[in-house]
């Protein structure tokens, strides 16, 4: 199946490592021009160099998406360098953690506000595209109780309702909005490798909840994102695609 991604311009936040990196690798392999960011300047430079080798245009920036002005300036620069934007994937998260009020604010600013600010800032470009597509990265932590009442889980839940309502609001502009909700994803340097070394019990219990006995991979999430981002998914908007190896137990109606 041709996804129709060739020549599309995709901006993905938090894309030097993990799931975000797998998304930009796959989108570039499918022929998309890429805008990527992270906080580490060196890692951005490495990612830009690696992706350019695929023969697509790549624009990278070292920016903390929590800094509203710097983030918006980076989005503007990226749009200028790519000549527009067809696909936006807000992927950065402040991550889980136990929960001071300070952490709630951080999770709100990073997970929720960077997504909302990005969608608003890129709206004119996505409308111009004629095939605009936003894919928000959620988490199964928003769908079922997980571990503890964390800001992370609540912010991911907020993104789900934002995604659905935005999809209704901007459907007339030919912009689709969907969420991909990954279950636990294991990769070198990722959160689950860290949890394995610091909380073996939690790691093992999580693994046990996966019917096929393994964690998901960033590449598997990237394939779900690439499909939803692509014109091949033209009928799908307002959806939440749970990509979790069967980790969650609820029935999805
Ligand atoms: N891993 C999982 O099991 C899992 C499960 C469900 C959902 N998710 C979701 O999937 C998404 C990606 O998760 P991941 O595990 O791949 O993350 P990760 O390994 O922590 O990678 C995060 C990426 O974002 C960048 N980043 C982090 N904070 C940033 C900030 N404030 N501003 C700009 N860039 C920033 C990082 O680079 P720098 O550090 O250089 O900034 C890196 O490139 C998140 O939304 C997460 O909630 C993950």
């Amino acid at each position: 199946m041709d996804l129709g991604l060739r020549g599309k311009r995709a901006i993905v936040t938090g894309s030097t490592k993990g799931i975000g990196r797998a998304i930009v690798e796959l989108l570039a392999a499918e022929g998309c021009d890429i805008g990527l960011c992270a906080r580490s300047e060196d890692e951005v430079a490495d990612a830009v160099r690696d992706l350019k080798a695929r023969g697509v245009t790549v624009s990278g920036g070292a920016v903390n998406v929590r800094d509203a002005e710097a983030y918006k300036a980076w989005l503007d620069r990226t749009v200028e360098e790519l000549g527009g934007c067809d696909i936006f994937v807000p992927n950065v998260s402040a991550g889980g953690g136990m929960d001071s009020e300070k952490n709630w604010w951080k999770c709100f600013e990073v997970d929720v506000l960077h997504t909302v600010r990005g969608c608003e800032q890129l709206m004119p470009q996505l409308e111009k595209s004629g095939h605009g597509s936003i894919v928000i990265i959620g988490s199964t932590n928003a769908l079922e109780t997980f571990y503890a009442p964390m800001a992370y889980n609540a912010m991911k839940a907020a993104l789900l309702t934002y995604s659905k309502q935005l999809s209704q609001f901007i459907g007339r502009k030919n912009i689709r909005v969907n969420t991909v909700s990954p279950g636990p994803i294991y990769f070198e340097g990722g959160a689950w490798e860290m949890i394995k070394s610091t909380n073996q019990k939690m790691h093992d219990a999580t693994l046990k909840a996966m019917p096929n006995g393994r964690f998901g991979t960033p590449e598997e999430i990237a394939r779900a994102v690439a499909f939803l981002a692509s014109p091949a998914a033209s009928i799908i908007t307002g959806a939440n695609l749970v990509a979790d190896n069967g980790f969650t137990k609820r029935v999805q109606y």
Side-chain angles (χ1 to χ4, degrees), residues 10-25:
I11 298 179
V12 182
T13 66
S15 26
T16 56
K17 293 181 245 190
I19 291 170
R21 179 60 180 262
I23 293 169
V24 292
E25 293 279 355

Side-chain angles (χ1 to χ4, degrees), residues 12-15 37-39 61-72 74-75 88 90-94 106 108-115 117-118:
V12 182
T13 66
S15 26
C37 78
R39 290 163 301 182
V63 67
N64 185 340
V65 300
R66 196 176 176 189
D67 177 342
E69 292 319 308
Y71 174 47
K72 287 182 192 172
W74 168 71
L75 287 169
F88 177 49
N91 167 70
V92 174
S93 168
K106 182 179 170 194
F108 173 66
E109 286 179 346
V110 175
D111 288 66
V112 178
L113 273 187
H114 117 271
T115 298
R117 285 174 178 145

Side-chain angles (χ1 to χ4, degrees), residues 176-192:
R176 295 177 300 106
V177 189
N178 293 289
T179 300
V180 169
S181 292
I185 303 300
Y186 193 97
F187 55 90
E188 215 175 290
W192 282 100

Side-chain angles (χ1 to χ4, degrees), residues 204-248:
D204 293 352
T206 303
L207 189 57
K208 212 170 153 197
M210 240 83 75
N212 63 359
R214 68 169 182 86
F215 280 80
T217 66
E219 292 72 24
E220 289 175 302
I221 299 304
R223 288 197 288 273
V225 172
F227 172 64
L228 284 178
S230 78
S234 52
I235 200 172
I236 306 176
T237 191
N240 174 31
L241 178 56
V242 179
D244 73 343
N245 255 339
F247 178 65
T248 50

Side-chain angles (χ1 to χ4, degrees), residues 9 84-88 118-134 170 173-176:
R9 297 146 302 183
C85 176
D86 307 285
I87 294 165
F88 177 49
C119 290
E120 288 181 357
Q121 186 85 358
L122 294 172
M123 201 63 73
Q125 303 299 331
L126 292 165
E127 184 174 2
K128 251 187 237 162
S129 158
H131 297 277
S133 180
I134 297 170
I170 63 177
K173 298 177 195 263
N174 284 322
I175 306 171
R176 295 177 300 106

